[in-house]
Amino acid sequence: MTSLRRFPKAVLFDAYGTLFDVHSVVAAAEQLFPGQGDALSQLWRLKQIEYSQLRTLADPNGSHYKPFWDVTLDALRHAARRLRLPLDAAGEKRLMDQYACLSAFPDTAPALRALREYGAAPDGRALGLGILSNGNPGMLEIAVKSAGIADLFDHVLSVHSAHAYKPAPAAYALGTRAFDASAREIVFVSSNGWDVAGAGWFGYTTYWINRSGAPLEELGSKPRGIGTGMAELVDFVKTLALTEKD
Amino acid sequence: MTSLRRFPKAVLFDAYGTLFDVHSVVAAAEQLFPGQGDALSQLWRLKQIEYSQLRTLADPNGSHYKPFWDVTLDALRHAARRLRLPLDAAGEKRLMDQYACLSAFPDTAPALRALREYGAAPDGRALGLGILSNGNPGMLEIAVKSAGIADLFDHVLSVHSAHAYKPAPAAYALGTRAFDASAREIVFVSSNGWDVAGAGWFGYTTYWINRSGAPLEELGSKPRGIGTGMAELVDFVKTLALTEKD
């Protein structure tokens, strides 16, 4: 059994922005507020991340924690007010319903299946696949089901069980615990620069999906790999398995 | 001595954005990058706050802490790259030099003097004045000197001594310790919505200087008072002193 190739032991994905396109709400937002859909979607997302981080920063033990669904609604309300958009209860419900079943990026499912296939190879690579997301369990369950990728993961982990949002260490620790592996043995994948930096600080082997060609965040925590989409990630994982020992 | 009116015991100010206009760098940025000065200033500020918060969130004990001056430079570099602006070493130095001596808002010094005068009244109001800022001590010293307001404060507190950025409790605790008062007995003043929310969570009596007419942050931590500038704050403090007992 000592010949088993077990590095990396798992690939752990951020969900929102990485597997699911948070800006797939733009069309609905544009119908509600013509000419403002993109601005609303951008500010909504910015405030969603900010609010989650502020709540954990103000108390890492979680006394200001509230589930991501509620944070997402708070962020939508603030974004609409900031942009002076008359968002009524019906519009709010429509946009939140959209958020519940965000589109997966077109390259999400094929890459997950390729990694599944690779991990199931008879020479015992046994690569685990998981999600580690700020989303609360109910949101994640609906999102992975509606994208048809629920059966591809060994673990769908929500920071909700830690009551701490990324990049708090208590949130990232859920991944190493679930896969019973060190952080270095797990490839953490995110399209969010701050999440890649945080996961790198925690010790994960990190991969940045840089779909928009953005510059690196200046946080001194550089990703091990960078690609423009999920297909390159599959190659990265295979190469890593060949070049590293566990 | 029991007749001394001692509520509030102190007024504690955020510095950047509250006393000092962080966007007073726009003119220099505009000269360097015509048509892009405002965008650079906005994104620079956004990344500066984000980077400071991420560093503390990833470890409240400060292992990822770096001084605000360095974070400010990181943020400038990222913002310029994101906007595809060719910022060379000379341009970088010019903008950072500007940041070192930001303009105080025109209403800053008059309001501080009014509060000083009020606090020195013979009936023993003894109101303390302070700054509690993310800025590191060197930055703060230059900023208050160049604005001519250094002698108006009892304490100029930097989160640097806690190696934790606001809204971490360790940062806010510097204020209560310096004034030997409970958080409720101190009026915390900020123009930054997230800072007002964080200070409120910590227990401070909060006042939001809302210069731009922005909507409240949806963080469930509402300021005790809101005004559009510093003059209204002076009235707020005087009224508070009349209506509350210690």
Side-chain angles (χ1 to χ4, degrees), chain B residues 2 14 50 58 186 194:
Chain B
T2 51
D14 170 57
E50 184 193 351
I186 298 175
W194 58 267

Side-chain angles (χ1 to χ4, degrees), chain B residues 5 7-8 118 125 236-245:
Chain B
R5 187 183 298 134
F7 188 92
Y118 171 76
R125 295 185 191 106
F236 170 82
V237 170
K238 290 180 181 174
T239 306
L240 202 62
L242 291 172
T243 55
E244 298 251 349
K245 304 283 180 197

Side-chain angles (χ1 to χ4, degrees), chain B residues 211-239:
Chain B
R211 296 185 191 275
S212 64
L216 262 179
E217 298 293 346
E218 292 281 334
L219 287 164
S221 170
K222 294 211 165 37
R224 175 75 176 270
I226 303 176
T228 59
M230 295 278 278
E232 291 157 88
L233 167 70
V234 178
D235 294 334
F236 170 82
V237 170
K238 290 180 181 174
T239 306

Side-chain angles (χ1 to χ4, degrees), chain A residues 1 3-6 8 112-129 238 241-242:
Chain A
M1 294 292 283
S3 66
L4 289 185
R5 187 183 296 135
R6 290 295 310 268
L112 290 172
R113 280 194 209 99
L115 288 171
R116 254 290 166 243
E117 194 179 322
Y118 171 75
D123 64 352
R125 294 185 192 107
L127 183 75
L129 293 185
K238 290 179 181 174
L242 291 172

Side-chain angles (χ1 to χ4, degrees), chain A residues 183-200:
Chain A
R184 197 189 70 89
E185 294 171 316
I186 297 175
V187 177
F188 186 92
V189 182
S190 182
S191 66
N192 299 297
W194 59 267
D195 194 14
V196 171

